[in-house]
Amino acid sequence: MVFINDILVYSKSEEHAEHLRIVLRTLAAHKLYANFKKCDFWMEKVHFLGHVITKEGISVYLAKIAAVVDWPRPSNVTDVRSFLGMAGYYRRFVKDFAKIASPLTQLLRNDH
């Protein structure tokens, strides 16, 4: 996973060392190099872009969920759109997100 100037290599298998080698070789082939003083290796838990990544998989960083739970009640279309945008970022972790968000999505339709 790459985000601007961060590269995150995670694996659920014993092939992790090989995955690291592939990434580092690919960087070197394109004359790009990691600053090893800024690198962390063999971490068991990483907070990255609002997620927590462990050997068990990817989950939501609970502190970020508080922002969704504590969001003030939307009072206009812009507020609804903003809330759906933020909440939608975590849609993969919410079963039936589209169904749950449907009443708010309906508020954004132009045929009202």
Side-chain angles (χ1 to χ4, degrees):
M1 182 181 297
V2 178
F3 182 76
I4 302 179
N5 64 346
D6 291 325
I7 299 172
L8 177 65
V9 179
Y10 64 98
S11 308
K12 290 184 178 182
S13 67
E14 299 300 318
E15 300 169 337
H16 187 67
E18 182 57 25
H19 293 161
L20 284 173
R21 275 192 280 282
I22 291 167
V23 169
L24 294 172
R25 281 188 201 129
T26 302
L27 287 171
H30 294 282
K31 299 192 183 337
L32 299 169
Y33 301 94
N35 180 344
F36 286 101
K37 290 180 183 176
K38 294 183 177 183
C39 293
D40 293 307
F41 294 97
W42 309 111
M43 297 178 67
E44 293 189 12
K45 184 183 213 179
V46 176
H47 294 263
F48 190 73
L49 298 177
H51 297 89
V52 179
I53 302 165
T54 66
K55 65 181 177 180
E56 285 79 30
I58 300 173
S59 60
V60 178
Y61 183 43
L62 294 179
K64 297 292 184 180
I65 295 301
V68 175
V69 171
D70 296 336
W71 192 276
R73 177 178 288 173
S75 59
N76 57 50
V77 172
T78 302
D79 292 349
V80 172
R81 196 173 285 121
S82 295
F83 176 76
L84 284 173
M86 183 178 59
Y89 183 77
Y90 295 103
R91 72 182 320 120
R92 71 183 274 194
F93 301 102
V94 179
K95 184 179 177 177
D96 297 325
F97 178 87
K99 185 193 290 186
I100 294 166
S102 180
L104 292 175
T105 305
Q106 294 296 321
L107 293 173
L108 301 177
R109 292 179 50 191
N110 289 330
D111 61 356
H112 284 90

